[in-house]
Amino acid sequence: MEQAAGPGCRVQCPQGAAPTSSLLHRPAAAQALASGPTPCERRGTEAPIHCLSQLRYKSGAEQGAMADYRIREYRDEDYEMVRELFATGMSEYVPALCVHVLKQPWVILVLACTFCILLTSSKSLLLPILAITLLLATGRQLLGYFWTMYIEHCLKEDLLDIRTTYMGSKGSCFWVAEADECVVGTVAARPSDDQEGELMLKRMSVRKDYRGLGVARALCQAVICFAQQQGCRAVVLNTLMVQDEARLMYERVGFAKYRDDVLPTVYGRLANVTISKYRYSVPRRS
């Protein structure tokens, strides 16, 4: 039996299960999700989304707090919240990006040479310290500026018209995680431009106060279930070198890294901006 989840998006229900209009989760911490097989795995079925909706977890056991959320299809009224969530989430990577750039050998060499030259010429410790501080502050501002431009580029690309990009064509879809009538997570999927039969996972983002509760994992499972029903053989995605938590989460879900590429631009080569490519082999429907 199948349950409709909107145009082009269908969720398979296990035999004998009643269809629901959305998927409700009570998640635990991420380690609880990885501690044992889900009911899907134990029964050997291939309906991970609906099976996840049957699991109830307690998050923040110390405080006895619970976090309810549901995974559903994108609606037009979600537009501003989706864009804001994406921009906020991407902005959090600026400090990690700065640390990554500072670790590059040529950056360390430039800073060391500048310090030594100024120290030798001025015979004062204050001037080189001030100069290095100024260089670091300027570099931080430049990196923040370029990263903001990248975020704005994304907002003007596929996130400018989400319905047309993801909901208006077969083989594409956009989901949100909703809690307390607010969007707390997003993910999208559309056919890969590189290989036929592969689905590209895009725009994964979870609000900071809902991370570690299984929201990202549930969103991943939504994409995997959709890929299976579309007959895709794999789900692929790209991550940047600063997205450590995201890479760990994808690997726990079952994605495997198959290639690292350096961003083919002058800035990408200078900063060694590495894009890691991951693939999840989708099991065939029985």
Side-chain angles (χ1 to χ4, degrees):
M1 179 172 59
E2 289 189 344
Q3 170 198 353
C9 308
R10 302 182 68 84
V11 177
Q12 183 179 2
C13 299
Q15 187 174 2
T20 56
S21 60
S22 61
L23 306 174
L24 180 64
H25 300 254
R26 283 184 185 267
Q31 59 267 26
L33 287 167
S35 61
T38 66
C40 284
E41 294 165 339
R42 289 194 293 267
R43 289 195 302 267
T45 66
E46 295 181 351
I49 297 305
H50 197 280
C51 288
L52 278 174
S53 70
Q54 296 172 5
L55 299 179
R56 293 196 172 193
Y57 295 102
K58 180 181 288 186
S59 60
E62 299 84 0
Q63 295 83 15
M66 300 296 290
D68 290 348
Y69 63 90
R70 61 174 181 158
I71 308 298
R72 63 167 175 80
E73 183 186 312
Y74 167 83
R75 301 170 186 160
D76 289 337
E77 56 264 30
D78 303 325
Y79 183 76
E80 292 299 335
M81 286 188 287
V82 166
R83 286 166 58 86
E84 182 181 356
L85 180 62
F86 170 78
T88 302
M90 291 298 291
S91 298
E92 295 174 8
Y93 291 113
V94 173
L97 182 63
C98 291
V99 172
H100 173 80
V101 172
L102 280 174
K103 291 180 179 178
Q104 302 309 305
W106 70 269
V107 175
I108 297 173
L109 181 62
V110 167
L111 292 175
C113 289
T114 301
F115 184 88
C116 292
I117 291 172
L118 291 176
L119 181 63
T120 303
S121 60
S122 66
K123 299 185 187 309
S124 169
L125 190 61
L126 182 60
L127 179 60
I129 290 176
L130 290 175
I132 295 300
T133 302
L134 180 61
L135 283 174
L136 292 174
T138 303
R140 167 65 173 79
Q141 292 299 317
L142 286 174
L143 283 173
Y145 171 74
F146 287 124
W147 193 251
T148 300
M149 287 183 62
Y150 168 72
I151 294 173
E152 290 178 354
H153 170 74
C154 295
L155 292 174
K156 292 176 182 177
E157 201 176 38
D158 60 311
L159 292 178
L160 181 63
D161 190 344
I162 299 172
R163 176 157 295 281
T164 299
T165 305
Y166 292 106
M167 311 303 291
S169 60
K170 183 180 179 181
S172 301
C173 200
F174 198 104
W175 297 267
V176 301
E178 183 183 54
D180 297 326
E181 299 183 355
C182 292
V183 173
V184 299
T186 65
V187 73
R190 66 183 183 186
S192 172
D193 296 328
D194 297 330
Q195 292 288 336
E196 187 177 354
E198 292 185 346
L199 194 70
M200 173 68 76
L201 185 152
K202 298 174 67 68
R203 305 314 180 204
M204 170 70 76
S205 186
V206 177
R207 208 172 77 183
K208 195 169 185 177
D209 53 335
Y210 275 83
R211 293 172 193 168
L213 304 178
V215 178
R217 184 183 178 105
L219 289 167
C220 275
Q221 293 286 10
V223 175
I224 292 169
C225 185
F226 179 71
Q228 186 184 57
Q229 292 164 10
Q230 293 293 313
C232 299
R233 64 174 180 270
V235 177
V236 295
L237 60 88
N238 298 333
T239 64
L240 291 172
M241 69 289 169
V242 295
Q243 296 176 302
D244 295 326
E245 292 182 1
R247 290 204 302 271
L248 289 174
M249 184 275 296
Y250 291 132
E251 289 169 2
R252 285 197 296 267
V253 170
F255 285 84
K257 184 169 70 171
Y258 66 94
R259 195 169 76 222
D260 284 328
D261 293 331
V262 175
L263 193 66
T265 62
V266 174
Y267 168 77
R269 294 188 180 95
L270 283 175
N272 193 27
V273 178
T274 305
I275 301 173
S276 298
K277 296 179 178 291
Y278 282 79
R279 176 184 285 112
Y280 179 97
S281 296
V282 178
R284 293 178 179 271
R285 296 179 64 181
S286 57

